[in-house]
Amino acid sequence: MRILTVGAGATGGYFGARLARAGRDVTFLVRPERAAALRARGLRVTGPGEEIALAPQLVTADALTRTYDLVLLSVKSTALEAATRDLAPAVGPGTAIVPLLNGMAHLDHLAGRFGDAPVLGGVAKVVTTLNEHGDIVRMAPPTVLLTGERDGRPSARVDAVREVLAGAGIDTPEVPDIVAAMWHKWVFITTLVAVTSLARGAVGEVNAVPGGSEFGLAVLAEAAAVSAAAGHPVPESEVALTARTLTTPQSPLTPSMYRDLVAGHPTEVEHVFGDLAARARALAVPTPLLDLAALQLRVHQRRVAGG
């Protein structure tokens, strides 16, 4: 299986490195600056029980001429349009595209460009970041990548993709409804971003003050209500897990979007929050706390853009 990983950042770079270390045919589609850095230093992953250092196969958009069997699309939503243009030569009649973005709007974008057939659903569950050297730091478990046909039907290509992932030590359980799994991840990430962004602190810092835990659970209730109204109720077990995550004392957990916010970087506010807010309005679900988080992130976004 020829694999193209679009992006070699904290998520795509991590999964691609695991696949390459397992001997898979993996190429990373990267920008020229990232390509130069990776050629000079190599692709490195560090973290608990994990040390990877390899010389990755790289390609830039101007040199991409072949098609691939599997495309792992792992870019921020702000780079989605450019990435879609760049990867177009890689998509042939038998290509499967697994997008690893949060939210849902990217599915329509990709299907509009490549048609419905190549586009699978995808969910990444991994806690990674890039350090000052551009190395990938895995901060905590898990290492999970879910995928499936968006209509829920079994398929040989999904089985083949999952076999390749599993062979690289990536947990990839079978899911009966990948679209529902994407919604449930969306609920988790919007809740975590809203809580940490509005309170300006890690999960443990929010819980350490009066009302912090109750605030987190109120945000979770809003996000879960939108998913339920859309036809994808979050299972009680997942709600309970997210609730425990939000109320863990002294937890240092922060999502990447919050880290982008405090660092003064652009965020994925429209793709993650704006789209969810629009769907909530269409479904007549009130989301005042999520709307407040979206407002704050939009003000930040405008400031970063120089508006």
Side-chain angles (χ1 to χ4, degrees):
M1 183 178 288
R2 297 192 304 272
I3 303 169
L4 181 70
T5 299
V6 183
T11 300
Y14 176 74
F15 286 118
R18 291 288 293 263
L19 288 162
R21 184 180 64 176
R24 301 299 183 179
D25 181 359
V26 181
T27 300
F28 295 86
L29 174 60
V30 292
R31 298 293 184 189
E33 298 81 3
R34 182 64 169 155
L38 289 171
R39 289 190 179 105
R41 183 171 175 80
L43 180 60
R44 298 170 182 263
V45 177
T46 65
E50 191 140 43
E51 293 293 333
I52 301 174
L54 52 88
Q57 296 186 77
L58 304 173
V59 66
T60 52
D62 61 321
L64 184 62
T65 57
R66 63 183 288 192
T67 61
Y68 290 78
D69 303 304
L70 172 63
V71 174
L72 294 179
L73 176 60
S74 180
V75 297
K76 291 187 181 294
S77 60
T78 50
L80 177 61
E81 188 169 345
T84 302
R85 290 195 303 269
D86 290 348
L87 71 86
V91 181
T95 301
I97 303 172
V98 178
L100 301 179
L101 291 79
N102 292 313
M104 301 294 294
H106 56 278
L107 294 180
D108 290 337
H109 175 84
L110 292 169
R113 175 62 180 82
F114 301 113
D116 284 323
V119 184
L120 300 174
V123 173
K125 297 182 180 181
V126 65
V127 186
T128 51
T129 190
L130 294 181
N131 65 16
E132 67 275 15
H133 304 296
D135 300 339
I136 299 162
V137 181
R138 178 173 176 251
M139 297 179 285
T143 301
V144 178
L145 199 162
L146 307 177
T147 190
E149 300 287 351
R150 289 184 290 142
D151 60 7
R153 62 184 169 84
S155 77
R157 67 173 178 168
V158 169
D159 292 342
V161 170
R162 291 181 57 240
E163 182 179 356
V164 166
L165 295 171
I170 298 167
D171 190 12
T172 177
E174 186 176 356
V175 289
D177 187 345
I178 189 63
V179 172
M182 292 176 66
W183 266 96
H184 301 162
K185 170 71 182 302
W186 199 8
V187 168
F188 175 82
I189 200 66
T190 51
T191 299
L192 189 58
V193 172
V195 169
T196 54
S197 297
L198 288 173
R200 278 299 197 277
V203 166
E205 294 177 297
V206 178
N207 288 315
V209 300
S213 297
E214 293 80 4
F215 167 61
L217 296 177
V219 176
L220 172 58
E222 284 189 6
V226 181
S227 188
H232 306 289
V234 184
E236 289 186 12
S237 60
E238 290 195 35
V239 172
L241 178 60
T242 301
R244 288 196 299 273
T245 301
L246 290 169
T247 57
T248 299
Q250 300 180 333
S251 170
L253 180 62
T254 58
S256 61
M257 192 182 296
Y258 170 76
R259 296 193 295 271
D260 286 339
L261 172 67
V262 297
H265 299 154
T267 71
E268 299 179 281
V269 55
E270 294 306 331
H271 191 85
V272 175
F273 278 89
D275 187 38
L276 187 70
R279 293 173 192 251
R281 288 193 297 272
L283 294 165
V285 178
T287 55
L289 295 174
L290 291 170
D291 292 345
L292 181 59
L295 176 65
Q296 184 193 77
L297 289 164
R298 282 169 168 154
V299 171
H300 165 81
Q301 195 81 352
R302 189 172 186 271
R303 184 182 299 130
V304 170

